[in-house]
Amino acid sequence: MSTAVDDLGAQLIAAESAHVAHNYHPLPIVAARAEGVWVTDVEGKRYLDLLSAYSALNFGHGHPAILAAAREQLDRLTLTSRAFHNDKLGPFATALAQLCGKDLVLPMNTGAEAVETGIKVARAWGYRSKGIAPDAATIIVANGNFHGRTTTIVGFSDDPVAHDDFGPYAPGFVHVPYGDADAIAAAIDENTAAVLVEPIQGEAGVVIPPEGFLRRVRDICTENGVLFIADEIQSGLGRVGETFACDREGVVPDIYLLGKALGGGILPLSAVVANEDVLGVIRPGEHGSTFGGNPLASAVGLRVVEMLASGEFQTRAKALGEHLAQALQGLVGHGVTAVRVAGLWAGVDIDPAVGSGREIAEKLLARGVLVKDTHGQTIRIAPPLTIRATEIDWAIEQLRHALS
Ligand SMILES: *Cc1c(COP(=O)(O)O)cnc(C)c1O
C-alpha cells in the first residue's frame, strides 16, 4: 500500500518537472493539506512547517479567523477593478494606515510590485517635491539585498543567480555595504531620492544590521531630505516580535513596503504605506493594478491587520523567539557555526564539515520538518507565529539529529 502512495508523490513530482518551468528546485515533498503549523503530504505524512512560505504564513495555515473573512467575502464580491469603489478597500486601508501610523495606502498584489511602486513614488517625489533634475534621480540600495524578481529589481541585485543574463539593467541605483550608515551618508548627493533597505535581510540569511544602524539611516535621511524606504515584506507584520523590524530601534521610515503575511497566507496582497506628502505625489492614472485593492484581498488584509492590532502575535513571537534563540545557541559548535535570531526568525549557518544547507534541509524533511536553505550554507527558520514551545523543542531535536 505504501508503494502505491509513494508512487503518487513521485508521479506528481514527475508531472511538475515535466511541465513546470525549472525556476525552482523544490524539496521532494508534495503537500496536499495543512492546518496551523502542520503540513500533510499526499502520502499522509505530517511535517512541521518552519518556513511559513517565507513568512507569508505568519498566522499559520488556514487560520480560522482569516478563512472566515475570505469565505464570507467570496460569496459577496471578489473583484471590481479600481474603476469603481468597493466596500472593503476603505476599511482595509484605514486599518492598515493606522497600524503603520501613516496617512495613505497604495494596494498592490505581490511584494515585487510594492517595491516597484516604492521606486516610482520615490522618483516622482524626487522630481516633483525635492526638485531633482529630470531623469537624474538615484536610489541607494544595499549589497546582499533581495527585493523581488522584476527586471528593474534584479538589475540592482548583486546575487549572480538573480541578476546575470537579464540585462540591460535599469540605471539609477547606487550600492553600499549593508549595515554601513557612513557609506550611505557618503553616497548621498543632490540626486538621491531615497535609501531602500531591508531592516533585516531575509533572503541573505536573516542578516541583522549593527545596533543603531536603522536609527542612523533615519537621521541621515532626515538631515539630507532623502526618503527612507523600509522593505518590511518579509521582516514585518509580527515576525520579529514587533509589528515592524524598524520598531526594534524605534524608527519610522517614510515608506513601508509590505507584502507576504498581509495576504494571510491565502492570496497575494502587498501595499505601500506613507504619508500624504510622499504618496500623495502619485496622480490618477499614473500607477495601478487590475487586482490591486480588490475586495477579496481587502477583506483578508483587514482581518490580518485587526489580528495584528491586538499585539498578541507580536508578544508571542518575542517570547517564543527568545526560546528559539536559546535552543539554537546550544547547537553552535555542534554542526552550526553561527546563528542570528530576531523574534521567530533565524538564520542558521551550517558547518560545511557536516553538510550543505540543502543536505540538512533534506535530512530535516525525512524527519518531518520543513525548512529551506539559502546561499549554500544557511538554513532559514521562520515558523508560523502560532507555533508552540514544545513544537520548537521537537524541531530543534530533529535539527540536532540531522547535524550529527
Ligand atoms: C519576498 C520578498 C520580496 C518579493 O515579494 P514577492 O511577493 O515574491 O514578489 C521583496 N522584498 C523582500 C524583502 C522579500 O522578502
Side-chain angles (χ1 to χ4, degrees):
M1 184 191 127
S2 95
T3 343
V5 278
D6 272 5
D7 284 348
L8 177 57
Q11 272 171 33
L12 289 163
I13 290 175
E16 246 196 56
S17 306
H19 298 293
V20 177
H22 302 159
N23 57 328
Y24 279 92
H25 178 34
L27 287 155
I29 169 206
V30 183
R33 47 192 310 123
E35 192 181 349
V37 297
W38 293 94
V39 175
T40 306
D41 72 8
V42 286
E43 294 154 27
K45 185 177 172 192
R46 275 161 44 96
Y47 303 81
L48 183 64
D49 187 352
L50 292 195
L51 181 66
S52 306
Y54 306 99
S55 287
L57 286 159
N58 277 4
F59 309 97
H61 296 268
H63 190 288
I66 303 174
L67 278 185
R71 286 200 178 107
E72 200 211 320
Q73 191 59 36
L74 264 176
D75 289 332
R76 294 179 61 230
L77 178 70
T78 53
L79 188 60
T80 52
S81 84
R82 294 284 307 279
F84 314 110
H85 298 279
N86 74 68
D87 65 354
K88 284 292 175 292
L89 178 55
F92 163 58
T94 304
L96 182 57
Q98 191 178 354
L99 186 78
C100 297
K102 298 286 188 191
D103 301 331
L104 295 176
V105 169
L106 199 161
M108 297 294 283
N109 311 285
T110 65
E113 289 174 311
V115 175
E116 289 279 347
T117 304
I119 291 167
K120 283 178 71 173
V121 169
R123 286 175 175 171
W125 174 88
Y127 302 127
R128 294 169 186 174
S129 254
K130 180 166 172 164
I132 296 174
D135 286 345
T138 58
I139 293 174
I140 295 172
V141 296
N143 295 341
N145 71 71
F146 181 85
H147 297 288
R149 302 295 198 168
T150 64
T151 49
T152 289
I153 292 170
V154 300
F156 60 83
S157 166
D158 56 10
D159 176 354
V161 177
H163 172 278
D164 291 0
D165 294 333
F166 301 118
Y169 305 110
F173 299 94
V174 177
H175 283 83
V176 296
Y178 185 63
D180 185 344
D182 292 332
I184 291 175
I188 288 176
D189 65 20
E190 73 278 9
N191 291 330
T192 310
V195 174
L196 167 61
V197 285
E198 297 156 85
I200 292 175
Q201 286 188 329
E203 206 60 29
V206 191
V207 176
I208 302 170
E211 160 84 43
F213 169 69
L214 298 173
R215 277 196 300 275
R216 285 216 50 216
V217 173
R218 175 67 281 176
D219 290 346
I220 290 164
C221 286
T222 304
E223 284 158 19
N224 290 279
V226 167
L227 299 178
F228 175 9
I229 308 176
D231 181 346
E232 294 258 17
I233 290 166
Q234 192 167 157
S235 60
L237 308 181
R239 173 57 54 194
V240 303
E242 307 277 353
T243 304
F244 303 110
C246 282
D247 295 340
R248 284 161 46 97
E249 294 197 8
V251 157
V252 178
D254 297 296
I255 300 179
Y256 287 106
L257 306 180
L258 304 175
K260 292 201 165 103
L262 192 59
I266 294 187
L267 37 70
L269 173 59
S270 65
V272 174
V273 188
N275 278 336
E276 172 77 43
D277 59 340
V278 175
L279 203 39
V281 299
I282 295 291
R283 303 183 283 233
E286 289 183 338
H287 192 60
S289 159
T290 304
F291 284 88
N294 72 75
L296 180 58
S298 295
V300 168
L302 173 60
R303 183 58 52 87
V304 164
V305 172
E306 284 167 354
M307 286 164 63
L308 285 167
S310 79
E312 68 180 287
F313 289 94
Q314 296 88 322
T315 307
R316 199 182 162 79
K318 186 175 271 178
L320 286 169
E322 280 160 21
H323 186 83
L324 175 67
Q326 219 163 42
L328 286 173
Q329 278 303 337
L331 297 178
V332 176
H334 300 91
V336 166
T337 54
V339 297
R340 297 168 295 278
V341 188
L344 271 174
W345 203 21
V348 179
D349 295 344
I350 306 299
D351 186 341
V354 303
S356 66
R358 174 84 186 190
E359 284 163 347
I360 296 302
E362 284 170 357
K363 283 185 180 169
L364 280 171
L365 182 72
R367 293 184 158 274
V369 177
L370 302 181
V371 297
K372 184 73 172 74
D373 54 297
T374 183
H375 294 284
Q377 283 312 124
T378 301
I379 57 172
R380 176 177 13 181
I381 294 179
L385 310 182
T386 53
I387 195 170
R388 288 182 295 204
T390 51
E391 290 164 333
I392 292 176
D393 294 341
W394 180 79
I396 297 297
E397 207 39 49
Q398 305 316 306
L399 179 54
R400 190 185 300 280
H401 282 291
L403 291 166
S404 65

